[in-house]
Amino acid sequence: MTAAGMQRMASRVFAALLASETASMTSAELAERLRISPAAVSGAIRYLSQVDMVSRERDPGTRRDLYVLHNELWYETFTRRDQVLTRWEKILREGTDTLGTTTAAGRRLAETAEFFAFLHGEMTGIMDRWRAHREARHQAGAQN
């Protein structure tokens, strides 16, 4: 995950949550499992929360916070990325309108907007196919 650009400590905390049976742990459990300080856990959780990869819940019957991976983490992550692509495409099209397609910069912006539009269309298809695949897999599992 660090090779993909995620902070080192956030990568470790995320991997610990992903590998845990319940996809949730307290700060103390994360610190113990990873042999890191509570401050390191806090910083990693702050980052993971900002990018919507984990949420904070109350540990039932205690006053401790429980850090939980989202149920459909990857689906949600890519859906948010798709929304970002749509915003970028809109901004690039506005820039193209401002600069005009007769300028080199305007043509560059137009091509980049077209690229983001293409990615958006492909991502929509991929997400639709994923939902169908997942549903078929669940139905097959229920029949066995």
Side-chain angles (χ1 to χ4, degrees):
M1 301 208 70
T2 55
M6 187 182 282
Q7 300 170 357
R8 182 176 168 272
M9 199 55 65
S11 296
R12 291 183 66 203
V13 168
F14 177 78
L17 289 169
L18 191 60
S20 73
E21 193 63 29
T22 61
S24 63
M25 299 172 87
T26 65
S27 180
E29 290 168 336
L30 285 163
E32 182 181 336
R33 167 103 24 111
L34 298 173
R35 296 186 181 127
I36 59 176
S37 71
V41 171
S42 178
I45 291 295
R46 187 176 320 109
Y47 171 81
L48 292 169
S49 295
Q50 288 172 346
V51 296
D52 292 323
M53 294 180 82
V54 300
S55 59
R56 182 179 305 198
E57 298 176 4
R58 188 61 71 182
D59 190 7
T62 74
R63 297 177 62 197
R64 299 180 303 178
D65 286 328
L66 192 62
Y67 302 105
V68 181
L69 291 180
H70 294 287
N71 282 339
E72 294 185 354
L73 170 70
W74 299 116
Y75 180 85
E76 291 174 17
T77 298
F78 280 93
T79 298
R80 278 190 302 282
R81 295 286 180 229
D82 187 51
Q83 293 166 353
V84 169
L85 293 176
T86 301
R87 280 196 307 267
W88 284 354
E89 178 193 350
K90 180 180 181 283
I91 290 167
L92 289 162
R93 292 219 185 272
E94 289 170 1
T96 301
D97 292 343
T98 300
L99 297 174
T101 55
T102 59
T103 66
R107 286 189 299 275
R108 246 189 333 274
L109 289 178
E111 184 173 340
T112 305
E114 186 178 337
F115 174 74
F116 284 127
F118 174 81
L119 282 181
H120 173 74
E122 291 297 306
M123 189 63 80
T124 300
I126 288 169
M127 299 311 271
D128 290 345
R129 288 189 302 277
W130 165 249
R131 281 191 300 275
H133 170 81
R134 184 173 179 213
E135 181 62 31
R137 198 178 81 230
H138 287 319
Q139 287 177 354
Q143 292 173 357
N144 294 334

